[in-house]
Each structure stands twice: as structure tokens, then as C-alpha cells.
Coordinates of all heavy atoms in Angstrom, one line a residue:
M1 N 0.9 -1.2 0.0 CA 0.0 0.0 0.0 C 0.9 1.2 0.0 O 1.9 1.3 0.7 CB -0.9 -0.1 1.3 CG -1.4 1.2 1.7 SD -2.4 0.9 3.2 CE -2.0 2.4 4.2
L2 N 0.5 2.2 -0.8 CA 1.3 3.4 -0.9 C 1.0 4.3 0.3 O -0.1 4.5 0.8 CB 0.9 4.2 -2.1 CG 1.4 3.7 -3.4 CD1 0.8 4.5 -4.6 CD2 2.9 3.7 -3.5
N3 N 2.1 4.8 0.9 CA 1.9 5.6 2.1 C 2.0 7.1 1.7 O 3.0 7.8 2.0 CB 3.0 5.2 3.1 CG 2.8 5.9 4.5 OD1 1.7 6.4 4.7 ND2 3.8 6.0 5.3
I4 N 1.0 7.5 1.1 CA 0.9 8.9 0.6 C -0.2 9.6 1.2 O -1.3 9.1 1.3 CB 0.7 9.0 -1.0 CG1 1.9 8.4 -1.7 CG2 0.5 10.4 -1.4 CD1 1.7 8.3 -3.2
D5 N 0.0 10.8 1.7 CA -1.1 11.6 2.2 C -1.8 12.3 1.0 O -1.2 13.2 0.4 CB -0.6 12.7 3.2 CG -1.7 13.4 3.9 OD1 -2.9 13.3 3.4 OD2 -1.5 14.2 4.8
M6 N -2.9 11.8 0.7 CA -3.7 12.3 -0.5 C -3.9 13.8 -0.4 O -4.1 14.5 -1.4 CB -5.0 11.5 -0.7 CG -4.8 10.1 -0.8 SD -4.1 9.6 -2.4 CE -5.5 9.8 -3.4
R7 N -4.0 14.3 0.8 CA -4.4 15.7 1.0 C -3.3 16.7 0.5 O -3.5 17.8 0.3 CB -4.7 16.0 2.5 CG -6.0 15.4 3.0 CD -6.1 15.6 4.5 NE -7.3 15.0 5.0 CZ -7.3 13.7 5.4 NH1 -6.3 12.9 5.2 NH2 -8.4 13.1 5.9
K8 N -2.1 16.1 0.3 CA -1.0 16.9 -0.2 C -1.1 17.1 -1.7 O -0.5 18.0 -2.3 CB 0.4 16.3 0.1 CG 0.7 16.4 1.5 CD 2.1 15.9 1.8 CE 2.5 16.1 3.3 NZ 3.5 15.1 3.7
I9 N -1.9 16.2 -2.4 CA -2.0 16.2 -3.8 C -3.3 16.8 -4.3 O -3.5 17.4 -5.3 CB -1.8 14.8 -4.4 CG1 -0.5 14.2 -3.8 CG2 -1.7 14.9 -5.9 CD1 -0.4 12.7 -4.1
Y10 N -4.4 16.5 -3.5 CA -5.7 16.8 -3.9 C -6.4 17.7 -2.8 O -6.1 17.7 -1.7 CB -6.6 15.5 -4.0 CG -6.3 14.6 -5.1 CD1 -5.3 13.6 -4.9 CD2 -6.9 14.7 -6.3 CE1 -5.0 12.7 -5.9 CE2 -6.6 13.8 -7.3 CZ -5.7 12.9 -7.1 OH -5.4 12.0 -8.1
N11 N -7.3 18.6 -3.3 CA -8.3 19.2 -2.4 C -9.5 18.4 -2.4 O -10.0 17.9 -3.4 CB -8.6 20.6 -3.0 CG -7.5 21.6 -2.8 OD1 -6.9 21.6 -1.7 ND2 -7.2 22.4 -3.8
F12 N -10.1 18.1 -1.2 CA -11.3 17.3 -1.1 C -12.4 18.1 -0.6 O -12.3 18.9 0.3 CB -11.0 16.1 -0.1 CG -10.0 15.1 -0.6 CD1 -8.7 15.1 -0.2 CD2 -10.4 14.2 -1.6 CE1 -7.8 14.2 -0.7 CE2 -9.5 13.3 -2.1 CZ -8.2 13.3 -1.7
Y13 N -13.6 17.8 -1.3 CA -14.8 18.5 -1.0 C -15.9 17.5 -0.6 O -16.1 16.6 -1.4 CB -15.3 19.4 -2.2 CG -14.2 20.3 -2.7 CD1 -13.3 19.9 -3.7 CD2 -14.0 21.6 -2.2 CE1 -12.4 20.7 -4.2 CE2 -13.0 22.4 -2.6 CZ -12.2 22.0 -3.6 OH -11.2 22.8 -4.1
P14 N -16.5 17.7 0.5 CA -17.6 16.7 0.9 C -18.8 16.8 -0.1 O -19.1 17.9 -0.6 CB -18.1 17.2 2.3 CG -17.0 18.1 2.8 CD -16.3 18.7 1.6
I15 N -19.4 15.7 -0.5 CA -20.5 15.7 -1.3 C -21.8 15.9 -0.5 O -22.0 15.3 0.5 CB -20.6 14.3 -2.1 CG1 -19.4 14.2 -3.1 CG2 -21.9 14.2 -2.8 CD1 -19.4 13.0 -3.9
E16 N -22.5 16.9 -1.0 CA -23.8 17.3 -0.3 C -24.9 17.2 -1.2 O -24.9 17.6 -2.4 CB -23.7 18.8 0.2 CG -22.5 19.1 1.1 CD -22.6 18.5 2.5 OE1 -23.8 18.1 2.8 OE2 -21.7 18.6 3.3
P17 N -26.1 16.7 -0.7 CA -26.2 16.0 0.6 C -25.4 14.7 0.6 O -25.2 14.1 -0.4 CB -27.7 15.7 0.7 CG -28.2 15.6 -0.7 CD -27.3 16.5 -1.6
A18 N -25.0 14.3 1.8 CA -24.2 13.1 2.0 C -25.0 11.9 1.4 O -26.2 11.7 1.7 CB -23.9 12.9 3.5
P19 N -24.3 11.1 0.6 CA -25.0 10.0 0.0 C -25.4 8.9 1.1 O -24.7 8.8 2.1 CB -24.0 9.4 -1.0 CG -23.0 10.5 -1.2 CD -23.0 11.3 0.0
D20 N -26.4 8.2 0.8 CA -26.9 7.1 1.7 C -25.8 6.1 1.8 O -25.2 5.6 0.8 CB -28.2 6.4 1.1 CG -28.8 5.5 2.1 OD1 -28.1 4.9 2.9 OD2 -30.0 5.3 1.9
S21 N -25.5 5.7 3.0 CA -24.4 4.7 3.2 C -24.7 3.4 2.6 O -23.8 2.6 2.4 CB -24.1 4.6 4.7 OG -25.2 4.1 5.4
A22 N -26.0 3.1 2.3 CA -26.3 1.8 1.7 C -26.0 1.8 0.2 O -26.1 0.8 -0.4 CB -27.8 1.5 2.0
A23 N -25.8 3.0 -0.4 CA -25.6 3.1 -1.8 C -24.5 4.2 -2.1 O -24.8 5.2 -2.6 CB -26.9 3.4 -2.5
L24 N -23.3 3.9 -1.6 CA -22.2 4.8 -1.8 C -21.9 5.0 -3.3 O -21.8 3.9 -4.0 CB -21.0 4.4 -1.0 CG -21.1 4.4 0.5 CD1 -19.9 3.8 1.1 CD2 -21.4 5.8 1.0
P25 N -21.8 6.2 -3.8 CA -21.4 6.4 -5.2 C -19.9 6.0 -5.5 O -19.1 6.1 -4.6 CB -21.7 7.9 -5.5 CG -21.5 8.5 -4.1 CD -21.9 7.5 -3.1
T26 N -19.6 5.6 -6.7 CA -18.2 5.4 -7.0 C -17.9 6.1 -8.4 O -18.8 6.1 -9.2 CB -17.9 3.8 -7.2 OG1 -18.8 3.3 -8.3 CG2 -18.2 3.1 -6.0
A27 N -16.7 6.6 -8.4 CA -16.3 7.3 -9.7 C -14.8 7.6 -9.5 O -14.3 7.5 -8.4 CB -17.0 8.6 -9.9
G28 N -14.1 7.9 -10.6 CA -12.7 8.1 -10.6 C -12.3 9.3 -9.7 O -11.2 9.3 -9.2
D29 N -13.2 10.3 -9.6 CA -12.9 11.5 -8.8 C -13.6 11.5 -7.5 O -13.6 12.5 -6.8 CB -13.2 12.7 -9.6 CG -14.7 12.9 -9.9 OD1 -15.4 11.9 -9.8 OD2 -15.1 14.0 -10.3
I30 N -14.2 10.3 -7.1 CA -14.8 10.2 -5.8 C -14.0 9.4 -4.8 O -13.5 8.4 -5.2 CB -16.3 9.6 -5.9 CG1 -17.2 10.7 -6.6 CG2 -16.8 9.2 -4.5 CD1 -18.6 10.2 -6.7
Y31 N -13.8 9.9 -3.6 CA -12.9 9.3 -2.6 C -13.7 9.1 -1.3 O -14.7 9.8 -1.1 CB -11.7 10.2 -2.3 CG -10.8 10.4 -3.5 CD1 -11.2 11.3 -4.6 CD2 -9.6 9.7 -3.6 CE1 -10.3 11.4 -5.7 CE2 -8.8 9.9 -4.7 CZ -9.2 10.7 -5.8 OH -8.4 10.9 -6.8
Y32 N -13.3 8.1 -0.6 CA -13.9 7.9 0.7 C -13.0 8.2 1.8 O -11.8 7.7 1.8 CB -14.3 6.4 0.9 CG -15.4 5.9 -0.1 CD1 -15.6 4.6 -0.3 CD2 -16.1 6.8 -0.9 CE1 -16.5 4.1 -1.2 CE2 -17.1 6.3 -1.8 CZ -17.3 5.0 -1.9 OH -18.2 4.5 -2.8
E33 N -13.4 9.0 2.7 CA -12.6 9.3 3.9 C -13.0 8.4 5.0 O -14.2 8.4 5.4 CB -12.7 10.8 4.4 CG -11.9 11.1 5.6 CD -12.0 12.5 6.1 OE1 -12.9 13.3 5.6 OE2 -11.3 12.9 7.0
C34 N -12.2 7.6 5.6 CA -12.5 6.7 6.7 C -12.6 7.6 8.0 O -11.7 8.3 8.3 CB -11.5 5.6 6.9 SG -11.8 4.6 8.3
L35 N -13.8 7.5 8.6 CA -14.0 8.4 9.8 C -13.3 7.8 11.0 O -13.2 8.5 12.0 CB -15.5 8.5 10.1 CG -16.3 9.2 9.0 CD1 -17.8 9.3 9.3 CD2 -15.8 10.6 8.7
D36 N -12.8 6.6 11.0 CA -12.1 6.0 12.1 C -10.6 6.3 12.1 O -10.0 6.5 13.1 CB -12.3 4.5 12.1 CG -13.7 4.1 12.5 OD1 -14.3 4.9 13.3 OD2 -14.2 3.1 12.1
C37 N -10.0 6.4 10.9 CA -8.5 6.6 10.9 C -8.2 7.9 10.0 O -7.0 8.2 9.9 CB -7.8 5.4 10.4 SG -8.1 5.0 8.7
T38 N -9.2 8.5 9.4 CA -9.1 9.7 8.6 C -8.3 9.6 7.3 O -8.0 10.5 6.6 CB -8.5 10.9 9.4 OG1 -7.1 10.7 9.5 CG2 -9.1 11.1 10.7
V39 N -8.0 8.3 6.9 CA -7.2 8.1 5.6 C -8.2 8.2 4.5 O -9.4 7.7 4.6 CB -6.5 6.7 5.7 CG1 -6.0 6.4 4.3 CG2 -5.4 6.7 6.7
I40 N -7.8 8.8 3.4 CA -8.7 8.9 2.2 C -8.2 7.9 1.1 O -7.1 7.8 0.8 CB -8.6 10.3 1.7 CG1 -9.3 11.3 2.7 CG2 -9.2 10.4 0.3 CD1 -9.2 12.7 2.3
V41 N -9.2 7.2 0.6 CA -9.0 6.1 -0.4 C -9.9 6.4 -1.6 O -11.1 6.7 -1.4 CB -9.2 4.7 0.2 CG1 -9.0 3.6 -0.9 CG2 -8.3 4.5 1.4
N42 N -9.4 6.2 -2.8 CA -10.2 6.3 -4.0 C -11.3 5.3 -4.0 O -11.1 4.2 -3.6 CB -9.3 6.2 -5.3 CG -10.1 6.6 -6.5 OD1 -10.8 5.8 -7.1 ND2 -9.9 7.9 -6.9
S43 N -12.5 5.7 -4.5 CA -13.6 4.7 -4.5 C -13.5 3.7 -5.6 O -14.2 2.7 -5.6 CB -14.9 5.5 -4.7 OG -15.0 6.1 -6.0
M44 N -12.6 3.9 -6.6 CA -12.3 2.9 -7.6 C -10.8 2.7 -7.7 O -10.2 3.1 -8.7 CB -12.9 3.4 -9.0 CG -14.4 3.5 -9.0 SD -15.0 4.1 -10.6 CE -14.6 2.7 -11.7
P45 N -10.2 2.1 -6.7 CA -8.7 2.1 -6.6 C -8.1 1.1 -7.7 O -8.5 0.0 -7.8 CB -8.4 1.5 -5.2 CG -9.6 0.7 -4.9 CD -10.8 1.4 -5.6
H46 N -7.3 1.7 -8.6 CA -6.6 0.9 -9.6 C -5.4 0.1 -9.0 O -5.1 -1.0 -9.5 CB -6.2 1.7 -10.8 CG -7.4 2.3 -11.5 ND1 -8.3 1.6 -12.2 CD2 -7.8 3.6 -11.6 CE1 -9.2 2.4 -12.7 NE2 -8.9 3.6 -12.3
I47 N -4.8 0.7 -8.0 CA -3.7 0.0 -7.4 C -4.2 -0.4 -6.0 O -5.2 0.1 -5.5 CB -2.5 1.0 -7.2 CG1 -2.9 2.3 -6.5 CG2 -1.8 1.3 -8.5 CD1 -1.7 3.1 -6.0
K48 N -3.5 -1.3 -5.4 CA -3.9 -1.9 -4.1 C -3.9 -0.7 -3.1 O -3.0 0.0 -2.9 CB -2.9 -2.9 -3.6 CG -3.4 -3.8 -2.5 CD -2.6 -5.1 -2.4 CE -2.7 -5.7 -1.0 NZ -4.1 -5.9 -0.5
S49 N -5.1 -0.5 -2.5 CA -5.3 0.6 -1.5 C -6.0 0.2 -0.3 O -6.8 -0.7 -0.3 CB -6.1 1.7 -2.2 OG -5.6 2.1 -3.5
A50 N -5.7 0.8 0.8 CA -6.4 0.5 2.1 C -6.2 1.6 3.0 O -5.2 2.4 2.9 CB -5.8 -0.8 2.7
C51 N -7.1 1.8 3.9 CA -7.0 2.8 5.0 C -6.2 2.1 6.1 O -6.0 0.9 6.2 CB -8.3 3.4 5.4 SG -9.3 2.3 6.4
A52 N -5.8 2.9 7.1 CA -5.0 2.4 8.2 C -5.7 1.4 9.1 O -5.0 0.5 9.6 CB -4.4 3.6 9.0
C53 N -7.0 1.5 9.3 CA -7.6 0.6 10.2 C -8.3 -0.6 9.5 O -8.8 -1.4 10.2 CB -8.7 1.4 11.0 SG -10.2 1.9 10.1
G54 N -8.3 -0.6 8.2 CA -8.8 -1.8 7.5 C -10.3 -1.6 7.1 O -10.8 -2.6 6.5
N55 N -10.9 -0.5 7.4 CA -12.3 -0.3 7.1 C -12.5 -0.3 5.5 O -13.5 -0.8 5.0 CB -12.9 0.9 7.7 CG -14.4 1.1 7.5 OD1 -15.1 0.1 7.3 ND2 -14.8 2.3 7.5
L56 N -11.5 0.3 4.9 CA -11.5 0.4 3.4 C -10.3 -0.3 2.8 O -9.2 -0.1 3.3 CB -11.4 1.9 3.0 CG -12.4 2.9 3.6 CD1 -12.0 4.3 3.2 CD2 -13.8 2.6 3.2
S57 N -10.6 -1.2 1.8 CA -9.5 -1.9 1.2 C -10.0 -2.3 -0.2 O -11.1 -2.7 -0.4 CB -9.0 -3.1 2.0 OG -10.0 -4.1 2.1
G58 N -9.1 -2.3 -1.2 CA -9.5 -2.7 -2.5 C -8.3 -2.6 -3.5 O -7.2 -2.2 -3.2
S59 N -8.6 -3.0 -4.7 CA -7.7 -2.9 -5.9 C -8.5 -3.3 -7.1 O -9.7 -3.7 -7.0 CB -6.5 -3.8 -5.7 OG -6.9 -5.2 -5.6
G60 N -7.9 -3.0 -8.2 CA -8.5 -3.5 -9.5 C -9.9 -2.8 -9.8 O -10.7 -3.3 -10.4
G61 N -10.0 -1.5 -9.2 CA -11.3 -0.8 -9.5 C -12.4 -1.0 -8.5 O -13.5 -0.5 -8.7
K62 N -12.2 -1.9 -7.6 CA -13.3 -2.3 -6.6 C -12.8 -2.1 -5.2 O -11.7 -2.5 -4.8 CB -13.6 -3.8 -6.8 CG -14.7 -4.2 -5.9 CD -16.1 -4.2 -6.6 CE -17.2 -4.8 -5.7 NZ -17.6 -3.8 -4.7
L63 N -13.6 -1.3 -4.5 CA -13.2 -1.0 -3.1 C -14.2 -1.7 -2.1 O -15.4 -1.6 -2.3 CB -13.3 0.5 -2.8 CG -12.8 1.0 -1.4 CD1 -11.3 0.7 -1.3 CD2 -13.1 2.4 -1.2
E64 N -13.7 -2.5 -1.2 CA -14.5 -3.1 -0.2 C -14.6 -2.2 1.0 O -13.6 -1.7 1.5 CB -13.9 -4.4 0.3 CG -13.7 -5.4 -0.9 CD -15.0 -6.0 -1.4 OE1 -16.0 -5.9 -0.7 OE2 -15.0 -6.5 -2.5
V65 N -15.9 -2.0 1.5 CA -16.1 -1.1 2.7 C -16.7 -2.0 3.8 O -17.8 -2.5 3.6 CB -17.1 0.0 2.3 CG1 -17.3 1.0 3.5 CG2 -16.5 0.8 1.1
M66 N -16.0 -2.1 4.9 CA -16.5 -2.9 6.0 C -17.7 -2.3 6.6 O -18.7 -2.9 6.9 CB -15.4 -3.2 7.0 CG -14.1 -3.8 6.4 SD -14.4 -5.6 6.1 CE -14.1 -6.2 7.8
D67 N -17.6 -1.0 6.9 CA -18.6 -0.3 7.6 C -18.9 1.1 6.9 O -18.3 2.1 7.1 CB -18.2 0.0 9.1 CG -19.4 0.7 9.9 OD1 -20.4 1.0 9.3 OD2 -19.2 0.8 11.1
P68 N -19.9 1.0 6.0 CA -20.2 2.2 5.2 C -20.7 3.4 6.0 O -20.6 4.6 5.5 CB -21.3 1.8 4.2 CG -21.6 0.4 4.5 CD -20.8 -0.1 5.7
T69 N -21.1 3.2 7.2 CA -21.6 4.3 8.1 C -20.4 5.1 8.6 O -20.6 6.2 9.2 CB -22.5 3.8 9.2 OG1 -21.7 3.1 10.1 CG2 -23.6 3.0 8.7
R70 N -19.2 4.5 8.5 CA -18.0 5.2 9.0 C -17.2 5.8 7.8 O -15.9 5.8 7.9 CB -17.1 4.2 9.8 CG -17.8 3.7 11.0 CD -18.2 4.7 12.0 NE -17.0 5.4 12.6 CZ -17.0 6.6 13.0 NH1 -18.1 7.4 13.0 NH2 -15.9 7.1 13.5
V71 N -17.9 6.2 6.8 CA -17.2 6.7 5.6 C -17.8 8.1 5.3 O -19.0 8.3 5.3 CB -17.5 5.8 4.4 CG1 -17.1 6.4 3.1 CG2 -16.7 4.5 4.6
R72 N -17.0 9.1 4.9 CA -17.4 10.3 4.4 C -17.1 10.3 2.9 O -15.9 10.1 2.5 CB -16.8 11.5 5.1 CG -17.2 12.9 4.4 CD -16.5 14.0 5.1 NE -16.9 14.2 6.5 CZ -16.1 14.3 7.5 NH1 -14.8 14.3 7.4 NH2 -16.6 14.4 8.7
V73 N -18.1 10.6 2.0 CA -17.8 10.6 0.6 C -17.4 12.0 0.2 O -18.0 13.0 0.5 CB -19.1 10.2 -0.2 CG1 -18.8 10.2 -1.7 CG2 -19.6 8.9 0.3
V74 N -16.2 12.1 -0.5 CA -15.7 13.4 -0.9 C -15.2 13.3 -2.3 O -15.0 12.3 -2.9 CB -14.4 13.8 0.0 CG1 -14.8 14.0 1.4 CG2 -13.3 12.8 -0.1
K75 N -15.2 14.5 -3.0 CA -14.8 14.6 -4.3 C -13.4 15.2 -4.3 O -13.1 16.2 -3.6 CB -15.7 15.6 -5.1 CG -15.6 15.5 -6.6 CD -16.8 16.0 -7.3 CE -17.3 15.0 -8.3 NZ -18.5 15.4 -9.0
G76 N -12.5 14.7 -5.1 CA -11.1 15.1 -5.1 C -10.7 15.9 -6.4 O -11.1 15.4 -7.4
K77 N -10.1 17.0 -6.2 CA -9.6 17.8 -7.3 C -8.1 18.0 -7.1 O -7.7 18.4 -6.1 CB -10.3 19.1 -7.4 CG -11.7 19.0 -7.9 CD -12.3 20.3 -8.5 CE -13.7 20.1 -9.0 NZ -14.7 21.0 -8.4
L78 N -7.3 17.7 -8.2 CA -5.9 18.0 -8.1 C -5.6 19.4 -7.8 O -6.3 20.3 -8.3 CB -5.2 17.6 -9.4 CG -4.8 16.2 -9.7 CD1 -4.4 16.0 -11.1 CD2 -3.8 15.7 -8.7
K79 N -4.6 19.7 -6.9 CA -4.3 21.0 -6.5 C -3.6 21.7 -7.7 O -2.9 21.1 -8.5 CB -3.4 21.0 -5.3 CG -4.1 20.7 -4.1 CD -3.2 20.9 -2.8 CE -4.0 20.6 -1.5 NZ -3.1 20.7 -0.3
Ligands
ZN101 ZN1 -9.8 3.4 8.4

């Protein structure tokens, strides 16, 4: 897993209204912030990605979310 602080590369904006945790949106510019460890992971990770606590993990364009209620959906824009 890459140990990069995504906030150094992207500006993140919360999506309003917050999407239903039962149907989280996915897109190349949509990221999930884990509310337990504050790590941000792309919603369609092409490389192996995971947050620090294991709530979010995935690769190959598919992200597994253990607890969707502990996720903030944000949109990322390159700085
Ligand atoms: Zn986490």
C-alpha cells in the first residue's frame, strides 16, 4: 500500500447532501474518507489501496467497505 497523504496532492470537498451509506457512489474522482482513521482512499482504486484501520480496502477498480456508516464521501480535485 502506498503511504501517501492524499491531501498533499488533492483538495477534497464533501458531497452534499451526503449519499446514503447503503448506496455509496463510485467514480474516478470520488474518494472515501474513513472516519475511524481519517485516511482517504479512491472509490475505484486501480492500485492496491487500504486505509490504516482496515475499514476500506481494495484494488482493480473495486473497493470493499467494511462499515459504510464510517465513511465520508468526498470529491477530489488535483491542486
Ligand atoms: Zn480506516
Side-chain angles (χ1 to χ4, degrees):
M1 159 181 141
L2 285 175
N3 189 17
I4 295 176
D5 186 350
M6 301 288 282
R7 291 174 184 83
K8 287 185 176 159
I9 309 168
Y10 292 89
N11 287 315
F12 290 104
Y13 307 92
I15 291 182
E16 303 287 350
D20 189 332
S21 62
L24 295 175
T26 59
D29 63 345
I30 290 181
Y31 297 76
Y32 297 164
E33 178 181 9
C34 178
L35 296 179
D36 288 330
C37 66
T38 75
V39 171
I40 291 178
V41 179
N42 190 277
S43 66
M44 296 177 67
H46 295 295
I47 55 168
K48 193 163 162 50
S49 306
C51 74
C53 74
N55 188 26
L56 308 172
S57 65
S59 62
K62 179 97 178 78
L63 187 68
E64 301 290 342
V65 182
M66 302 285 279
D67 185 353
T69 67
R70 301 296 296 153
V71 167
R72 177 183 293 128
V73 182
V74 295
K75 197 161 229 181
K77 290 202 175 122
L78 275 172
K79 286 187 176 174

